[in-house]
Amino acid sequence: MATQACPACGTLHDVGIYVSGKRIRCRACGIPFTVQRAESLVAARAFRSRHAVIRQPSRPFQPPARSSARQRKAADTTPSGGSLFVPGYQIKEMLGKGGMGRVYRALQVSLDRWVAIKVLNEDLAKHHSFIRRFEKESGALASLNHPNIIAIYDRGCHEGVYYFVMEYVGGPSLRRRMHDGLKVRECVQIMSTLCKAVAHAHRRSVIHRDIKPENVLFTEEGVLKVADFGLANIIAPDGRWELTRTRVSMGTVNYMAPEQRRDAKHVDGRADIYSLGVIFYEMLTGEFPVGRFQPPSRLRPGLDPRLDRIVMRMLESQPSRRPQNADLIAATLDSWLQEAGKPEANRQGAASADSGQSTSPRTSGRPR
């Protein structure tokens, strides 16, 4: 069977019934592309090889001059090699790039403050479906007003360049903080804050669907911010899921709930709770919960078994068996923090989170 991947989303298509040059539409993302049969490519190469003419160079060969790292970085900070211009902002540098677009640090001239500007990739800006998805991300951010979610300031289109302006976060990502090492109490505090931010989004019918350490940022003052709602699913008032196509798997595989891998469209907030569970497990143990994984306390001796129960329930394969509300997880973690912060004599045998000692856990409420 002759197959070819969609250049936009990577979905494989059976192109055996088509001739090279035929335009077909991707069944997953809807973007049209041109069929290139493998045998046609081989024949074309063979023809060029048979008819190739060997020419003597008219002058000695000179290897191309290597560009400096600074020149390469400068060339890579614009969407199409030219200068990027957004009215009212001075673009300073590119912060990162992904499948949908690039993010730049910029100065907002009118208010003299740093902002982040996300720009839709030029090739994707030619397709209405990707423009809608890009605008959906800015709309999702605009509907949320929470101290631990990145705020959006503006959006627009200038000379074919689609962009939106959001809060700039200059501190490290959660990935960096995990690499540097986290105490158990820090892990619990971070997870509690994350759960509260995600619960706020869920109350406004926004499902993130791509929660991972790279999308959790910290300001220079240490305030946590959830970022990158590029795959967010917005549930309409009548209960319909908008924009995402059925049977498309979207997100980062290591952090995706089982049901999200099968069908990203029909997931709800419990898929985000699973992703949070993966992050929590990884923060506590430094490993991914893959296959028949052990409770965190088996990998981190001295860890309070009560945290095991919370993490393992968040990682249940069946959505109905997970905590149904991120707010309840946050409340349970806050209770654990209060209990762990009490003097030893008043804990009634509860385990100390950071001392490395484990005692019989005190019965506590579990998230439901």
Side-chain angles (χ1 to χ4, degrees):
M1 180 177 69
T3 61
Q4 181 177 337
C6 170
C9 69
T11 300
L12 286 177
H13 294 263
D14 180 5
V15 296
I17 62 174
Y18 303 112
V19 297
S20 289
K22 173 70 175 178
R23 296 278 290 176
I24 64 174
R25 188 175 296 275
C26 176
R27 66 176 182 273
C29 68
I31 303 301
F33 64 93
T34 302
V35 173
Q36 293 182 330
R37 294 285 297 275
E39 56 267 28
S40 299
L41 295 176
V42 172
R45 293 192 189 103
F47 177 85
R48 288 194 296 268
S49 176
R50 288 195 303 269
H51 295 82
V53 177
I54 300 177
R55 301 177 185 273
Q56 293 296 329
S58 58
R59 57 183 177 180
F61 172 74
Q62 294 181 348
R66 288 189 175 184
S67 59
S68 66
R70 179 176 296 181
Q71 289 172 328
R72 290 193 298 272
K73 182 177 180 181
D76 198 31
T77 56
T78 58
S80 58
S83 59
L84 174 64
F85 175 73
V86 177
Y89 301 91
Q90 295 178 0
I91 309 298
K92 297 299 182 180
E93 63 177 332
M94 187 176 72
L95 299 174
K97 58 183 178 180
M100 282 284 289
R102 306 187 184 200
V103 180
Y104 300 87
R105 183 172 68 95
L107 182 67
Q108 186 177 9
V109 177
S110 61
L111 295 177
D112 192 30
R113 66 175 174 181
W114 291 113
V115 297
I117 299 181
K118 188 166 186 177
V119 178
L120 181 64
N121 284 340
E122 190 178 50
D123 55 338
L124 300 182
K126 300 175 184 177
H127 303 286
H128 183 66
S129 60
F130 282 99
I131 294 173
R132 285 189 63 203
R133 186 177 298 172
F134 189 74
E135 291 176 341
K136 184 183 75 166
E137 178 179 1
S138 62
L141 281 174
S143 70
L144 306 176
N145 181 17
H146 191 275
N148 299 115
I149 296 177
I150 283 184
I152 186 171
Y153 300 143
D154 191 16
R155 78 175 180 186
C157 177
H158 178 72
E159 297 182 349
V161 176
Y162 290 85
Y163 67 90
F164 64 83
V165 184
M166 53 189 170
E167 177 183 3
Y168 171 68
V169 180
S173 67
L174 177 56
R175 175 68 69 200
R176 167 54 58 184
R177 291 196 57 179
M178 290 165 61
H179 182 268
D180 294 340
L182 292 169
K183 295 181 179 180
V184 173
R185 188 175 184 85
E186 290 177 307
C187 296
V188 176
Q189 289 171 334
I190 289 171
M191 183 51 55
S192 173
T193 304
L194 254 177
C195 286
K196 292 171 185 174
V198 170
H200 174 82
H202 290 175
R203 285 194 295 273
R204 282 147 185 81
S205 301
V206 176
I207 314 300
H208 191 289
R209 298 193 306 168
D210 195 23
I211 301 174
K212 56 185 178 181
E214 289 78 5
N215 289 340
V216 179
L217 308 177
F218 293 87
T219 67
E220 294 177 349
E221 292 76 25
V223 179
L224 182 149
K225 299 282 185 177
V226 180
D228 200 348
F229 280 75
L231 295 183
N233 215 10
I234 302 174
I235 304 177
D238 60 0
R240 292 181 296 104
W241 283 264
E242 297 182 343
L243 266 177
T244 309
R245 293 176 177 267
T246 305
R247 301 297 178 189
V248 177
S249 175
M250 304 181 71
T252 304
V253 174
N254 287 335
Y255 298 91
M256 288 171 60
E259 68 273 18
Q260 187 175 347
R261 301 185 190 192
R262 295 189 297 268
D263 182 2
K265 179 175 181 178
H266 296 101
V267 298
D268 55 27
R270 294 173 294 183
D272 282 347
I273 288 176
Y274 183 94
S275 301
L276 291 170
V278 178
I279 293 176
F280 202 7
Y281 190 97
E282 189 181 6
M283 282 196 296
L284 292 170
T285 68
E287 298 184 9
F288 282 116
V290 179
R292 296 178 63 87
F293 54 89
Q294 296 180 324
S297 62
R298 297 283 184 87
L299 302 176
R300 187 165 185 162
L303 186 69
D304 190 337
R306 291 178 296 175
L307 296 179
D308 281 348
R309 293 195 289 271
I310 298 173
V311 175
M312 300 301 278
R313 286 200 62 198
M314 294 171 73
L315 292 172
E316 287 282 359
S317 60
Q318 295 296 326
S320 60
R321 300 184 64 181
R322 294 175 209 149
Q324 304 294 292
N325 188 310
D327 267 332
L328 293 177
I329 303 174
T332 303
L333 294 176
D334 286 345
S335 297
W336 183 93
L337 288 168
Q338 292 179 359
E339 185 70 22
K342 293 179 180 179
E344 183 70 25
N346 296 333
R347 287 194 217 160
Q348 300 178 359
S352 175
D354 294 317
S355 66
Q357 299 176 351
S358 177
T359 58
S360 300
R362 177 177 179 265
T363 302
S364 63
R366 303 194 313 186
R368 303 186 184 209

